């Protein structure tokens, strides 16, 4: 069983569990809209995704998405990782693609990203972290959020998490933020820092992970009009 088949099989089990909860309430089964999470580096977007997934049983697509993209593209996962939320310069991409083949290019990565994310959106019941998901998923009921945090707080968090100095943490954060901003600008012609591109922009320096999840689920219910079943409280 390949990567995408395995991930879909896991998701089917989650859907069945959610349908059981829905049927108990005598409601008609339906596809739960996707939640997308855009995040500043070190703002805690991944932790929020895990908390949401734990509570409502939605499939989390973060690093798992990279495996699915590589599988769909028929390319090496390590290579695809080098393009994940970043892009190679045009001349480098042309030369690399010339030697390694079209599967090893920015364009091929992006096309595979679009196909995989559209598939995720069609199945629903998922939390998509980064990769411009809010610009790809067009469902009017899906919730698109962005998690931000004061720079000084992110520096302290990344320094502790990665066991590096604050000076190096600053460099890492600035580099990753710049890569993500460039990725969104290049492929979607949008400014990731524009709050109007999201339904909610939340400061994780004010709210902890549990409180963030509460806010997101409240926003999800208000936008979709659906009372999402809580699997784990």
């Amino acid at each position: 069983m390949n990567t995408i088949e395995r991930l879909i099989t896991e998701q089917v089990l989650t859907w069945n569990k959610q349908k059981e909860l829905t049927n108990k309430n005598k409601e008609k089964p339906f596809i739960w809209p996707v939640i997308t999470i855009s995040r500043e580096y070190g703002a805690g977007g991944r932790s929020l995704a895990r908390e949401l997934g734990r509570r409502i049983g939605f499939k989390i697509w973060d690093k798992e998405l990279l495996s699915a993209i590589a599988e769909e593209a028929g390319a090496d996962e390590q290579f695809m990782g080098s393009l994940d939320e970043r892009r190679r310069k045009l001349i480098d991409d042309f030369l690399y693609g010339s030697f390694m083949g079209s599967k090893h290019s920015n364009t091929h990565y992006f096309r595979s990203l679009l196909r995989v994310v559209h598939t995720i959106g069609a199945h629903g019941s998922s939390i998509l972290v980064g990769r411009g998901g809010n610009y790809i998923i067009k469902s009017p009921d899906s919730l698109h959020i962005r998690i931000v945090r004061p720079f000084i707080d992110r520096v302290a968090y990344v320094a502790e998490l990665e066991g590096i100095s604050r000076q190096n943490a600053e460099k890492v954060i600035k580099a990753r933020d710049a890569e993500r901003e460039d990725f969104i600008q290049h492929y979607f012609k949008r400014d990731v820092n524009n709050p109007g591109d999201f339904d909610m922009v939340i400061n994780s320096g004010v709210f902890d992970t549990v409180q963030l999840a509460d806010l997101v689920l409240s926003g999800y219910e208000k936008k979709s009009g659906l009372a999402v079943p809580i699997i784990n409280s």
Side-chain angles (χ1 to χ4, degrees):
M1 182 181 293
N2 65 31
T3 303
I4 191 66
E5 289 174 340
R6 175 176 56 79
L7 292 173
I8 289 176
T9 298
E10 292 173 358
Q11 186 59 54
V12 167
L13 296 176
T14 298
W15 293 332
N16 288 337
K17 190 173 183 179
Q18 289 169 338
K19 286 179 181 178
E20 289 176 5
L21 290 173
T22 300
N23 291 334
K24 287 180 181 179
N25 296 326
K26 298 181 180 180
E27 297 175 356
K28 183 179 179 180
F30 49 79
I31 295 175
W32 295 96
V34 169
I35 298 172
T36 70
I37 301 177
S38 172
R39 72 281 187 238
E40 292 181 327
Y41 190 74
R46 186 175 299 173
S47 297
L48 171 60
R50 286 197 295 265
E51 175 63 16
L52 289 170
R54 184 190 69 81
R55 286 201 206 180
I56 62 179
F58 280 21
K59 173 68 181 178
I60 300 170
W61 296 88
D62 187 2
K63 296 302 182 184
E64 298 85 351
L65 182 60
L66 181 60
S67 298
I69 292 171
E71 187 77 46
E72 200 281 337
D76 180 75
E77 185 172 337
Q78 184 175 0
F79 163 76
M80 283 301 187
S82 71
L83 294 179
D84 196 30
E85 293 193 287
R86 56 178 66 90
R87 68 184 180 93
R88 188 186 292 112
K89 291 181 180 178
L90 184 60
I91 185 64
D92 294 335
D93 191 51
F94 174 77
L95 293 174
Y96 201 95
S98 296
F99 285 104
M100 299 296 293
S102 61
K103 291 181 179 180
H104 296 80
S105 68
N106 287 309
T107 300
H108 201 68
Y109 165 87
F110 185 62
R111 287 175 178 170
S112 296
L113 170 66
L114 292 178
R115 286 192 289 266
V116 171
V117 172
H118 281 307
T119 300
I120 293 170
H123 286 288
S125 298
S126 296
I127 300 164
L128 180 61
V129 181
R131 285 82 179 181
N134 59 303
Y135 301 110
I136 303 172
I137 301 292
K138 301 299 185 181
S139 168
D141 295 326
S142 292
L143 183 70
H144 307 299
I145 67 172
R146 180 159 172 80
I147 303 301
V148 299
R149 193 176 186 180
F151 184 73
I152 190 172
D153 293 345
R154 292 194 285 143
V155 169
Y157 173 77
V158 171
E160 180 178 358
L161 181 68
E162 300 188 10
I164 58 179
S165 68
R166 292 199 172 208
Q167 183 177 14
N168 286 335
E170 287 185 11
K171 294 178 181 179
V172 170
I173 292 170
K174 290 178 180 178
R176 291 307 304 274
D177 280 349
E179 287 173 346
R180 291 174 178 177
E181 290 171 10
D182 179 62
F183 177 85
I184 297 300
Q185 177 60 44
H186 178 74
Y187 289 112
F188 301 102
K189 306 299 185 251
R190 303 294 300 179
D191 179 1
V192 74
N193 296 305
N194 178 16
D197 287 347
F198 306 94
D199 299 310
M200 303 173 69
V201 178
I202 313 175
N203 184 352
S204 62
V206 176
F207 306 101
D208 63 28
T209 303
V210 172
Q211 293 169 330
L212 287 172
D214 289 339
L215 290 170
V216 171
L217 291 179
S218 177
Y220 184 88
E221 292 187 354
K222 290 183 184 303
K223 186 179 183 187
S224 67
L226 306 172
V228 63
I230 303 299
I231 294 176
N232 297 299
S233 58

